[in-house]
Every structure is written in structure tokens, then in C-alpha cells.
Coordinates of all heavy atoms in Angstrom, one line a residue:
I111 N -11.8 56.0 -111.6 CA -10.4 56.0 -111.5 C -10.0 54.6 -111.1 O -8.9 54.1 -111.6 CB -9.9 57.0 -110.5 CG1 -10.2 58.4 -111.0 CG2 -8.4 56.9 -110.2 CD1 -9.8 59.5 -110.1
K112 N -10.8 53.9 -110.3 CA -10.4 52.6 -109.8 C -10.3 51.6 -111.0 O -9.5 50.7 -111.0 CB -11.2 52.1 -108.7 CG -12.7 51.8 -109.1 CD -13.5 51.3 -107.9 CE -14.9 51.2 -108.3 NZ -15.6 50.0 -108.1
D113 N -11.2 51.7 -111.9 CA -11.2 50.8 -113.1 C -10.0 51.0 -114.0 O -9.5 50.2 -114.7 CB -12.5 50.9 -113.9 CG -13.7 50.2 -113.2 OD1 -13.4 49.2 -112.5 OD2 -14.8 50.6 -113.5
Y114 N -9.5 52.3 -114.0 CA -8.4 52.6 -114.8 C -7.1 52.0 -114.2 O -6.2 51.7 -115.0 CB -8.2 54.2 -114.8 CG -7.1 54.7 -115.7 CD1 -7.2 54.6 -117.1 CD2 -5.9 55.2 -115.1 CE1 -6.1 55.0 -117.9 CE2 -4.9 55.6 -115.9 CZ -5.0 55.5 -117.3 OH -3.9 56.0 -118.1
S115 N -7.1 51.7 -113.0 CA -5.9 51.2 -112.3 C -6.0 49.7 -112.0 O -5.2 49.2 -111.3 CB -5.6 52.0 -111.1 OG -6.6 51.9 -110.1
T116 N -6.9 49.0 -112.7 CA -7.1 47.6 -112.4 C -6.8 46.8 -113.7 O -7.0 47.3 -114.8 CB -8.5 47.3 -111.9 OG1 -8.5 45.8 -111.6 CG2 -9.6 47.6 -112.8
K117 N -6.5 45.5 -113.6 CA -6.4 44.7 -114.7 C -7.4 43.6 -114.7 O -7.3 42.5 -115.3 CB -5.0 44.0 -114.7 CG -3.9 45.0 -115.2 CD -4.1 45.2 -116.7 CE -2.9 46.0 -117.2 NZ -3.0 46.3 -118.6
L118 N -8.6 43.8 -114.0 CA -9.7 42.8 -114.0 C -10.2 42.6 -115.4 O -10.3 43.5 -116.2 CB -10.8 43.3 -113.2 CG -10.6 43.3 -111.7 CD1 -11.8 43.9 -111.0 CD2 -10.4 41.9 -111.2
P119 N -10.5 41.3 -115.8 CA -11.0 41.1 -117.1 C -12.4 41.5 -117.3 O -13.2 41.6 -116.3 CB -10.8 39.5 -117.2 CG -10.9 39.1 -115.9 CD -10.3 40.1 -115.0
L120 N -12.8 41.7 -118.5 CA -14.2 42.1 -118.8 C -15.2 41.0 -118.3 O -16.3 41.3 -118.0 CB -14.4 42.3 -120.3 CG -14.0 43.6 -120.9 CD1 -14.1 43.6 -122.4 CD2 -14.7 44.8 -120.3
A121 N -14.7 39.8 -118.3 CA -15.6 38.7 -117.8 C -16.1 39.0 -116.4 O -17.2 38.5 -116.0 CB -14.8 37.4 -117.8
S122 N -15.4 39.7 -115.6 CA -15.8 40.0 -114.3 C -16.8 41.2 -114.2 O -17.3 41.5 -113.2 CB -14.6 40.3 -113.4 OG -14.0 41.5 -113.8
R123 N -17.0 41.9 -115.4 CA -17.9 43.0 -115.4 C -18.8 42.9 -116.6 O -18.7 43.6 -117.6 CB -17.0 44.3 -115.6 CG -16.1 44.7 -114.5 CD -16.8 45.2 -113.3 NE -17.6 46.4 -113.5 CZ -17.2 47.6 -113.6 NH1 -15.9 47.9 -113.3 NH2 -18.1 48.6 -113.8
P124 N -19.8 41.9 -116.6 CA -20.6 41.7 -117.7 C -21.5 42.9 -118.1 O -21.9 43.0 -119.3 CB -21.5 40.5 -117.3 CG -21.4 40.5 -115.8 CD -20.1 41.1 -115.4
E125 N -21.7 43.9 -117.2 CA -22.5 45.1 -117.6 C -21.7 45.9 -118.6 O -22.3 46.8 -119.2 CB -22.8 45.9 -116.3 CG -21.7 46.6 -115.7 CD -20.8 45.8 -114.7 OE1 -20.9 44.6 -114.7 OE2 -20.0 46.4 -114.0
L126 N -20.4 45.7 -118.8 CA -19.6 46.5 -119.8 C -19.6 45.9 -121.2 O -19.0 46.4 -122.1 CB -18.2 46.6 -119.3 CG -18.0 47.4 -118.0 CD1 -16.5 47.4 -117.6 CD2 -18.5 48.8 -118.1
G127 N -20.3 44.8 -121.4 CA -20.4 44.2 -122.7 C -19.9 42.7 -122.7 O -20.2 42.0 -121.7
D128 N -19.2 42.3 -123.7 CA -18.8 40.9 -123.9 C -18.3 40.3 -122.6 O -17.1 40.3 -122.3 CB -17.7 40.9 -125.0 CG -17.4 39.5 -125.4 OD1 -18.0 38.5 -124.9 OD2 -16.5 39.3 -126.2
G129 N -19.2 39.7 -121.8 CA -18.9 39.2 -120.5 C -17.9 38.0 -120.5 O -17.3 37.7 -119.5
G130 N -17.7 37.3 -121.7 CA -16.8 36.2 -121.7 C -15.4 36.6 -122.1 O -14.5 35.7 -122.1
N131 N -15.2 37.8 -122.4 CA -13.9 38.3 -122.9 C -12.9 38.4 -121.7 O -13.2 38.9 -120.6 CB -14.1 39.6 -123.5 CG -12.9 40.0 -124.4 OD1 -11.8 39.6 -124.1 ND2 -13.1 40.8 -125.4
M132 N -11.7 38.0 -121.9 CA -10.7 38.1 -120.8 C -9.9 39.4 -121.0 O -8.9 39.6 -120.3 CB -9.7 36.8 -120.9 CG -10.5 35.6 -120.5 SD -11.4 35.7 -118.9 CE -10.1 35.8 -117.8
R133 N -10.2 40.2 -121.9 CA -9.6 41.5 -122.1 C -9.7 42.4 -120.8 O -10.8 42.4 -120.3 CB -10.2 42.2 -123.3 CG -9.7 43.5 -123.6 CD -10.5 44.0 -124.8 NE -10.1 45.4 -125.2 CZ -10.8 46.2 -126.0 NH1 -11.9 45.8 -126.5 NH2 -10.3 47.4 -126.3
P134 N -8.7 43.0 -120.4 CA -8.8 43.9 -119.2 C -9.8 45.0 -119.4 O -9.8 45.6 -120.5 CB -7.4 44.4 -118.9 CG -6.5 43.4 -119.7 CD -7.3 42.9 -120.9
V135 N -10.5 45.4 -118.4 CA -11.5 46.5 -118.4 C -10.8 47.8 -118.8 O -11.3 48.6 -119.6 CB -12.2 46.7 -117.0 CG1 -13.0 47.9 -117.0 CG2 -13.1 45.5 -116.7
V136 N -9.6 48.0 -118.3 CA -8.9 49.2 -118.5 C -8.6 49.4 -120.0 O -8.6 50.5 -120.6 CB -7.6 49.3 -117.7 CG1 -6.6 48.3 -118.1 CG2 -7.0 50.7 -117.8
D137 N -8.4 48.3 -120.7 CA -8.1 48.4 -122.2 C -9.3 48.9 -122.9 O -9.2 49.7 -123.8 CB -7.7 47.0 -122.8 CG -6.3 46.6 -122.3 OD1 -5.6 47.3 -121.7 OD2 -6.0 45.4 -122.6
L138 N -10.5 48.5 -122.5 CA -11.8 49.0 -123.1 C -11.9 50.4 -122.8 O -12.3 51.2 -123.7 CB -13.0 48.2 -122.5 CG -14.4 48.7 -123.0 CD1 -14.6 48.5 -124.5 CD2 -15.4 47.9 -122.2
L139 N -11.7 50.9 -121.6 CA -11.8 52.3 -121.2 C -10.9 53.1 -122.0 O -11.2 54.2 -122.5 CB -11.6 52.4 -119.7 CG -12.6 51.7 -118.8 CD1 -12.1 51.9 -117.3 CD2 -14.0 52.3 -118.9
V140 N -9.6 52.7 -122.1 CA -8.6 53.5 -122.8 C -9.0 53.6 -124.3 O -8.9 54.7 -124.9 CB -7.2 52.8 -122.7 CG1 -6.2 53.4 -123.6 CG2 -6.8 53.0 -121.2
E141 N -9.4 52.5 -124.9 CA -9.8 52.5 -126.3 C -11.0 53.5 -126.6 O -10.9 54.2 -127.6 CB -10.2 51.1 -126.8 CG -10.5 51.0 -128.3 CD -10.9 49.6 -128.7 OE1 -10.3 48.6 -128.1 OE2 -11.8 49.5 -129.5
Q142 N -11.9 53.5 -125.7 CA -13.1 54.3 -125.9 C -12.7 55.8 -125.8 O -13.1 56.6 -126.6 CB -14.2 54.0 -124.9 CG -14.9 52.7 -125.1 CD -15.9 52.4 -124.1 OE1 -15.9 52.9 -123.0 NE2 -16.8 51.4 -124.4
I143 N -11.8 56.1 -124.9 CA -11.3 57.5 -124.7 C -10.5 57.9 -125.9 O -10.6 59.0 -126.5 CB -10.6 57.7 -123.4 CG1 -11.6 57.6 -122.2 CG2 -9.9 59.1 -123.4 CD1 -11.0 57.6 -120.9
E144 N -9.6 57.0 -126.4 CA -8.7 57.4 -127.5 C -9.5 57.7 -128.8 O -9.0 58.4 -129.6 CB -7.7 56.2 -127.7 CG -6.7 56.1 -126.7 CD -5.8 54.9 -126.8 OE1 -6.2 53.9 -127.5 OE2 -4.6 54.9 -126.3
C145 N -10.6 57.0 -128.9 CA -11.4 57.2 -130.2 C -12.5 58.3 -130.1 O -13.1 58.5 -131.1 CB -12.1 55.9 -130.5 SG -10.9 54.6 -130.9
A146 N -12.6 58.9 -128.9 CA -13.8 59.8 -128.7 C -13.5 61.2 -129.3 O -12.3 61.7 -129.2 CB -14.1 59.9 -127.2
D147 N -14.5 61.8 -129.8 CA -14.4 63.3 -130.1 C -14.7 64.1 -128.9 O -14.1 65.2 -128.8 CB -15.4 63.6 -131.2 CG -15.0 63.0 -132.6 OD1 -13.8 62.9 -132.9 OD2 -15.9 62.7 -133.3
F148 N -15.5 63.6 -128.0 CA -15.8 64.3 -126.8 C -16.1 63.2 -125.7 O -16.6 62.1 -126.0 CB -16.9 65.4 -126.8 CG -18.2 64.9 -127.3 CD1 -19.2 64.5 -126.4 CD2 -18.5 64.8 -128.6 CE1 -20.4 64.1 -126.8 CE2 -19.8 64.4 -129.1 CZ -20.7 64.0 -128.1
V149 N -15.8 63.6 -124.5 CA -15.9 62.7 -123.3 C -16.8 63.3 -122.3 O -16.5 64.5 -121.9 CB -14.6 62.3 -122.7 CG1 -14.7 61.4 -121.5 CG2 -13.7 61.6 -123.8
L150 N -17.8 62.7 -121.9 CA -18.7 63.2 -120.8 C -18.2 62.5 -119.5 O -18.2 61.3 -119.4 CB -20.1 62.9 -121.0 CG -20.8 63.4 -122.2 CD1 -22.3 63.0 -122.3 CD2 -20.7 64.9 -122.2
L151 N -17.8 63.3 -118.5 CA -17.5 62.8 -117.2 C -18.7 63.0 -116.3 O -18.9 64.1 -115.8 CB -16.3 63.6 -116.6 CG -15.0 63.5 -117.4 CD1 -13.9 64.4 -116.8 CD2 -14.5 62.1 -117.5
N152 N -19.5 62.0 -116.2 CA -20.8 62.1 -115.5 C -20.6 61.8 -114.0 O -19.6 61.2 -113.6 CB -21.7 61.0 -116.1 CG -23.1 61.2 -115.7 OD1 -23.6 62.4 -115.4 ND2 -23.9 60.2 -115.6
K153 N -21.6 62.2 -113.3 CA -21.6 62.0 -111.8 C -20.5 62.7 -111.1 O -20.0 62.2 -110.1 CB -21.7 60.5 -111.5 CG -22.9 59.9 -112.1 CD -23.1 58.5 -111.6 CE -24.3 57.8 -112.1 NZ -24.6 56.5 -111.6
V154 N -20.0 63.8 -111.6 CA -18.9 64.5 -110.9 C -19.3 65.0 -109.5 O -18.4 65.2 -108.7 CB -18.3 65.6 -111.8 CG1 -17.7 65.1 -113.1 CG2 -19.3 66.7 -112.1
D155 N -20.6 65.1 -109.3 CA -21.0 65.6 -108.0 C -20.7 64.5 -106.9 O -20.7 64.8 -105.7 CB -22.5 65.9 -108.0 CG -23.4 64.8 -108.5 OD1 -23.0 64.2 -109.6 OD2 -24.4 64.5 -108.0
L156 N -20.5 63.3 -107.3 CA -20.2 62.2 -106.4 C -18.7 62.0 -106.1 O -18.3 61.3 -105.2 CB -20.8 60.9 -106.9 CG -22.3 60.8 -107.2 CD1 -22.7 59.5 -107.7 CD2 -23.1 61.2 -105.9
L157 N -17.9 62.7 -106.8 CA -16.5 62.7 -106.6 C -16.1 63.5 -105.3 O -16.8 64.5 -105.0 CB -15.7 63.3 -107.8 CG -15.7 62.6 -109.1 CD1 -15.1 63.4 -110.2 CD2 -15.0 61.2 -109.0
P158 N -15.1 63.1 -104.6 CA -14.6 63.9 -103.5 C -14.3 65.3 -104.0 O -13.5 65.4 -104.9 CB -13.4 63.1 -103.0 CG -13.5 61.8 -103.5 CD -14.3 61.9 -104.8
G159 N -14.9 66.3 -103.5 CA -14.7 67.7 -103.9 C -15.5 68.1 -105.0 O -15.5 69.3 -105.4
G160 N -16.3 67.2 -105.6 CA -17.2 67.6 -106.7 C -16.4 68.3 -107.9 O -15.4 67.8 -108.3
L161 N -17.0 69.4 -108.4 CA -16.4 70.1 -109.5 C -15.1 70.8 -109.2 O -14.3 71.1 -110.1 CB -17.4 71.2 -110.1 CG -18.6 70.6 -110.9 CD1 -19.6 71.7 -111.1 CD2 -18.1 70.0 -112.2
E162 N -14.8 71.0 -107.9 CA -13.6 71.7 -107.5 C -12.5 70.7 -106.9 O -11.5 71.2 -106.5 CB -13.9 72.7 -106.4 CG -15.0 73.7 -106.8 CD -14.6 74.5 -108.0 OE1 -13.4 74.9 -108.1 OE2 -15.5 74.8 -108.9
G163 N -12.8 69.4 -107.0 CA -11.9 68.5 -106.3 C -10.7 68.0 -107.1 O -10.7 68.1 -108.4
E164 N -9.8 67.4 -106.5 CA -8.6 66.8 -107.1 C -9.0 65.6 -107.9 O -8.3 65.3 -109.0 CB -7.6 66.4 -106.0 CG -6.2 66.1 -106.5 CD -5.3 65.8 -105.4 OE1 -5.2 66.6 -104.5 OE2 -4.6 64.8 -105.5
A165 N -10.0 64.8 -107.6 CA -10.4 63.7 -108.3 C -10.8 64.0 -109.7 O -10.5 63.3 -110.7 CB -11.5 62.9 -107.6
L166 N -11.5 65.1 -109.9 CA -12.0 65.6 -111.2 C -10.7 66.0 -112.0 O -10.6 65.7 -113.2 CB -13.0 66.7 -111.1 CG -13.5 67.3 -112.4 CD1 -14.1 66.2 -113.3 CD2 -14.4 68.4 -112.2
E167 N -9.8 66.7 -111.4 CA -8.6 67.1 -112.1 C -7.8 65.9 -112.5 O -7.3 65.9 -113.7 CB -7.7 67.9 -111.2 CG -8.3 69.3 -110.9 CD -7.4 70.1 -110.0 OE1 -6.2 69.8 -109.8 OE2 -7.9 71.1 -109.4
Q168 N -7.8 64.8 -111.7 CA -7.1 63.6 -112.1 C -7.8 62.9 -113.3 O -7.1 62.5 -114.2 CB -7.2 62.6 -110.9 CG -5.9 62.4 -110.2 CD -6.1 61.3 -109.1 OE1 -7.2 61.1 -108.5 NE2 -5.1 60.5 -109.0
L169 N -9.1 62.9 -113.3 CA -9.8 62.3 -114.4 C -9.6 63.1 -115.7 O -9.3 62.5 -116.8 CB -11.3 62.3 -114.2 CG -11.8 61.2 -113.2 CD1 -13.3 61.4 -112.9 CD2 -11.6 59.8 -113.9
Q170 N -9.6 64.4 -115.6 CA -9.4 65.3 -116.8 C -8.0 65.1 -117.3 O -7.7 65.0 -118.5 CB -9.6 66.7 -116.4 CG -11.1 67.0 -116.2 CD -11.4 68.4 -115.7 OE1 -10.6 68.9 -114.9 NE2 -12.5 68.9 -116.1
A171 N -7.0 64.9 -116.4 CA -5.6 64.7 -116.8 C -5.4 63.3 -117.5 O -4.7 63.2 -118.5 CB -4.7 64.8 -115.6
I172 N -6.1 62.3 -117.0 CA -6.1 61.0 -117.7 C -6.6 61.1 -119.1 O -6.0 60.6 -120.0 CB -6.8 59.9 -116.8 CG1 -6.0 59.7 -115.5 CG2 -7.0 58.7 -117.6 CD1 -6.8 58.8 -114.5
V173 N -7.8 61.7 -119.2 CA -8.4 61.8 -120.5 C -7.5 62.6 -121.5 O -7.3 62.2 -122.6 CB -9.8 62.5 -120.4 CG1 -10.4 62.8 -121.8 CG2 -10.8 61.5 -119.6
A174 N -7.0 63.7 -121.0 CA -6.1 64.6 -121.8 C -4.9 63.8 -122.3 O -4.4 64.0 -123.4 CB -5.7 65.8 -121.1
S175 N -4.3 62.9 -121.4 CA -3.1 62.2 -121.8 C -3.5 61.1 -122.8 O -2.6 60.8 -123.7 CB -2.5 61.6 -120.6 OG -3.3 60.5 -120.1
L176 N -4.7 60.6 -122.8 CA -5.1 59.5 -123.7 C -5.6 60.1 -125.1 O -5.4 59.5 -126.1 CB -6.2 58.7 -123.1 CG -5.8 57.8 -121.9 CD1 -7.0 57.2 -121.3 CD2 -4.7 56.8 -122.3
N177 N -6.2 61.3 -125.0 CA -6.7 61.9 -126.2 C -6.8 63.5 -126.0 O -7.8 64.0 -125.6 CB -8.1 61.4 -126.5 CG -8.7 61.9 -127.8 OD1 -8.2 62.8 -128.4 ND2 -9.8 61.3 -128.2
P178 N -5.7 64.1 -126.3 CA -5.6 65.6 -126.1 C -6.5 66.4 -127.0 O -6.8 67.5 -126.7 CB -4.1 65.9 -126.5 CG -3.6 64.7 -127.2 CD -4.4 63.5 -126.9
L179 N -7.1 65.8 -128.1 CA -8.0 66.5 -128.9 C -9.5 66.4 -128.5 O -10.3 67.1 -129.1 CB -7.8 66.0 -130.4 CG -6.5 66.1 -131.0 CD1 -6.4 65.6 -132.4 CD2 -6.0 67.6 -131.0
A180 N -9.8 65.5 -127.6 CA -11.2 65.3 -127.2 C -11.6 66.5 -126.3 O -10.9 67.1 -125.6 CB -11.3 64.0 -126.3
T181 N -12.9 66.9 -126.5 CA -13.5 67.9 -125.7 C -14.1 67.1 -124.5 O -14.8 66.2 -124.6 CB -14.7 68.6 -126.5 OG1 -14.1 69.2 -127.6 CG2 -15.3 69.6 -125.6
V182 N -13.7 67.6 -123.3 CA -14.2 67.0 -122.1 C -15.2 67.8 -121.4 O -15.0 69.0 -121.2 CB -13.0 66.7 -121.1 CG1 -13.4 66.1 -119.8 CG2 -11.9 65.9 -121.8
I183 N -16.4 67.2 -121.1 CA -17.4 67.9 -120.4 C -17.8 67.2 -119.1 O -18.1 66.0 -119.1 CB -18.7 67.9 -121.3 CG1 -18.4 68.6 -122.6 CG2 -19.9 68.7 -120.6 CD1 -19.5 68.5 -123.7
A184 N -17.7 67.9 -118.0 CA -18.0 67.4 -116.7 C -19.5 67.7 -116.5 O -20.0 68.8 -116.8 CB -17.2 68.1 -115.6
C185 N -20.3 66.7 -116.0 CA -21.7 66.9 -115.8 C -22.2 66.1 -114.6 O -21.5 65.2 -114.1 CB -22.5 66.5 -117.1 SG -22.2 64.8 -117.6
E186 N -23.4 66.4 -114.2 CA -24.1 65.7 -113.1 C -25.4 65.1 -113.7 O -26.1 65.8 -114.4 CB -24.4 66.7 -112.0 CG -23.1 67.3 -111.4 CD -23.5 68.4 -110.4 OE1 -24.6 68.5 -110.0 OE2 -22.5 69.0 -110.0
Q187 N -25.7 63.9 -113.3 CA -26.9 63.2 -113.7 C -27.1 63.3 -115.3 O -28.2 63.4 -115.8 CB -28.2 63.8 -113.0 CG -28.1 63.7 -111.5 CD -29.3 64.3 -110.8 OE1 -30.2 64.8 -111.5 NE2 -29.3 64.2 -109.5
A188 N -26.0 63.2 -116.0 CA -26.0 63.2 -117.4 C -26.6 64.4 -118.0 O -27.1 64.4 -119.2 CB -26.5 61.9 -118.0
K189 N -26.7 65.5 -117.3 CA -27.3 66.7 -117.8 C -26.3 67.5 -118.6 O -25.4 68.1 -118.0 CB -27.9 67.5 -116.7 CG -29.1 66.9 -116.0 CD -29.6 67.7 -114.9 CE -30.8 67.0 -114.2 NZ -31.3 67.7 -113.0
V190 N -26.5 67.5 -119.9 CA -25.6 68.3 -120.8 C -26.5 69.0 -121.8 O -27.5 68.4 -122.3 CB -24.7 67.3 -121.6 CG1 -23.8 68.1 -122.5 CG2 -23.8 66.5 -120.6
R191 N -26.3 70.2 -122.0 CA -27.1 71.0 -123.0 C -26.9 70.4 -124.4 O -25.8 70.3 -124.9 CB -26.7 72.5 -123.0 CG -27.0 73.1 -121.6 CD -26.6 74.6 -121.6 NE -27.4 75.3 -122.6 CZ -27.1 76.5 -123.1 NH1 -26.1 77.1 -122.6 NH2 -27.9 77.0 -124.0
V192 N -28.0 70.0 -125.0 CA -28.0 69.4 -126.3 C -27.3 70.4 -127.3 O -26.5 69.9 -128.2 CB -29.4 69.0 -126.8 CG1 -29.4 68.5 -128.2 CG2 -30.0 68.0 -125.9
L193 N -27.6 71.6 -127.2 CA -27.0 72.6 -128.1 C -25.4 72.6 -128.0 O -24.7 72.8 -128.9 CB -27.5 74.0 -127.9 CG -29.0 74.2 -128.2 CD1 -29.5 75.6 -127.9 CD2 -29.2 73.9 -129.7
L194 N -24.9 72.4 -126.8 CA -23.5 72.3 -126.6 C -22.9 71.1 -127.4 O -21.9 71.3 -128.1 CB -23.2 72.1 -125.1 CG -21.7 72.0 -124.7 CD1 -20.9 73.2 -125.1 CD2 -21.5 71.7 -123.3
L195 N -23.6 70.0 -127.3 CA -23.1 68.8 -128.0 C -23.2 69.0 -129.5 O -22.4 68.7 -130.3 CB -23.8 67.6 -127.6 CG -23.6 67.1 -126.1 CD1 -24.5 65.9 -125.8 CD2 -22.2 66.9 -125.8
A196 N -24.3 69.6 -129.9 CA -24.6 69.9 -131.3 C -23.5 70.9 -131.8 O -23.0 70.7 -132.9 CB -26.0 70.4 -131.6
G197 N -23.2 71.9 -131.0 CA -22.2 72.8 -131.4 C -20.9 72.2 -131.6 O -20.1 72.5 -132.5
I198 N -20.5 71.3 -130.7 CA -19.3 70.6 -130.8 C -19.2 69.8 -132.1 O -18.3 69.9 -132.9 CB -19.0 69.6 -129.6 CG1 -18.8 70.5 -128.3 CG2 -17.9 68.7 -129.8 CD1 -18.9 69.6 -127.0
Q199 N -20.3 69.1 -132.4 CA -20.3 68.3 -133.6 C -20.3 69.2 -134.8 O -19.6 68.9 -135.8 CB -21.6 67.4 -133.6 CG -21.6 66.3 -132.5 CD -20.5 65.3 -132.8 OE1 -19.3 65.6 -132.9 NE2 -20.8 64.1 -132.8
L200 N -21.1 70.3 -134.8 CA -21.1 71.2 -136.0 C -19.7 71.8 -136.2 O -19.2 71.9 -137.3 CB -22.1 72.3 -135.8 CG -23.6 71.8 -135.9 CD1 -24.5 73.0 -135.5 CD2 -23.9 71.3 -137.3
G201 N -19.0 72.1 -135.1 CA -17.7 72.6 -135.2 C -16.7 71.6 -135.8 O -15.9 72.0 -136.6
L202 N -16.9 70.4 -135.4 CA -16.0 69.3 -136.0 C -16.3 69.2 -137.4 O -15.4 69.0 -138.2 CB -16.2 68.0 -135.2 CG -15.7 67.9 -133.8 CD1 -16.1 66.6 -133.2 CD2 -14.2 68.0 -133.8
M203 N -17.6 69.2 -137.8 CA -17.9 69.0 -139.2 C -17.3 70.2 -140.0 O -16.8 70.0 -141.1 CB -19.4 69.0 -139.4 CG -20.0 67.6 -139.0 SD -21.7 67.5 -139.6 CE -22.5 67.6 -138.0
C204 N -17.4 71.4 -139.5 CA -16.9 72.5 -140.2 C -15.4 72.4 -140.4 O -14.8 72.7 -141.4 CB -17.2 73.8 -139.5 SG -19.0 74.2 -139.6
M205 N -14.7 71.9 -139.3 CA -13.3 71.8 -139.4 C -12.9 70.8 -140.5 O -12.0 71.0 -141.2 CB -12.8 71.2 -138.0 CG -11.5 71.8 -137.6 SD -11.1 71.4 -135.9 CE -11.4 69.7 -135.7
Y206 N -13.7 69.7 -140.6 CA -13.3 68.7 -141.6 C -13.6 69.2 -143.0 O -12.9 68.9 -143.9 CB -14.2 67.4 -141.4 CG -13.8 66.6 -140.1 CD1 -14.8 66.1 -139.3 CD2 -12.5 66.4 -139.7 CE1 -14.4 65.5 -138.1 CE2 -12.1 65.8 -138.6 CZ -13.1 65.3 -137.8 OH -12.8 64.6 -136.6
V207 N -14.7 70.0 -143.2 CA -15.0 70.5 -144.5 C -14.0 71.5 -144.9 O -13.5 71.5 -146.0 CB -16.4 71.1 -144.5 CG1 -16.7 71.9 -145.7 CG2 -17.5 70.1 -144.2
V208 N -13.5 72.4 -144.0 CA -12.6 73.5 -144.3 C -11.2 72.9 -144.7 O -10.6 73.3 -145.6 CB -12.5 74.5 -143.2 CG1 -11.4 75.5 -143.4 CG2 -13.8 75.2 -143.0
Q209 N -10.8 71.9 -143.9 CA -9.5 71.3 -144.2 C -9.6 70.5 -145.4 O -9.1 70.1 -146.2 CB -9.1 70.5 -143.0 CG -8.8 71.4 -141.8 CD -8.4 70.5 -140.5 OE1 -8.3 69.3 -140.6 NE2 -8.3 71.2 -139.4

């Protein structure tokens, strides 16, 4: 959430990629969410309140406002059932084929 509300340039966060870029970190985050079919909210156990907290609700609301069609999955330690992700992808493929 703190990166979403900052205008720090990517140059200050080289672990996010193009370290010489003066583009704000928030622009990169927003672009990635807007283009995503699904978004994994990892490390939710570290948020205040965990899966039941207001911070998770805030994150979900931000993602929904940027991309209402994305499937959002909250997880801990990046543990997500592969079949869930495959099901999401298969569902999307079926949707594209049918339409």
C-alpha cells in the first residue's frame, strides 16, 4: 500500500527493474494490475489483521478499482493451488473461444 501512495522513481527501487528510469513506482504497479488476468496478493499473513484485516480489504479495493475483471487471490508464502490457476486460465480460454 505504501508504494501505491508514493511517487518515488524506479531509479530508487532497482529491484523492480529498469533502475535508471525516472518513472514513478506507482505507475509500474498500476500498469501491471490493469493488464493482469489475475492478481496474487502474497504475504497477506504479514498484513495487520491477516486475512480478516482492513489492510487486505484496502488492497482488494485498489485492485478492483484498477481492474474489475481480474481474479484476485490472497495467499501466504506464494502458496496457490496450481489447479486453481490452471482453472482460471482454462476458464478464460473457454470464454475467448465461445465469444
Side-chain angles (χ1 to χ4, degrees):
I111 295 176
K112 67 180 172 125
D113 284 334
Y114 183 72
S115 60
T116 183
K117 283 290 187 179
L118 287 174
L120 282 175
S122 68
R123 298 285 305 273
E125 72 276 15
L126 295 177
D128 187 4
N131 195 334
M132 293 309 292
R133 177 181 179 195
V135 172
V136 67
D137 290 353
L138 174 65
L139 298 174
V140 168
E141 182 180 324
Q142 289 177 344
I143 292 171
E144 287 175 338
C145 296
D147 290 326
F148 58 96
V149 176
L150 298 180
L151 298 177
N152 191 31
K153 299 187 178 188
V154 295
D155 54 318
L156 301 179
L157 291 171
L161 285 170
E162 304 298 323
E164 190 175 311
L166 180 58
E167 289 178 20
Q168 254 186 322
L169 284 172
Q170 290 170 326
I172 290 169
V173 172
S175 71
L176 294 172
N177 185 345
L179 300 178
T181 300
V182 181
I183 302 170
C185 57
E186 299 172 10
Q187 298 181 1
K189 292 180 182 175
V190 179
R191 295 181 61 194
V192 174
L193 291 177
L194 177 63
L195 297 178
I198 291 169
Q199 294 294 52
L200 290 174
L202 288 173
M203 283 191 251
C204 291
M205 220 169 46
Y206 293 136
V207 171
V208 171
Q209 294 178 2

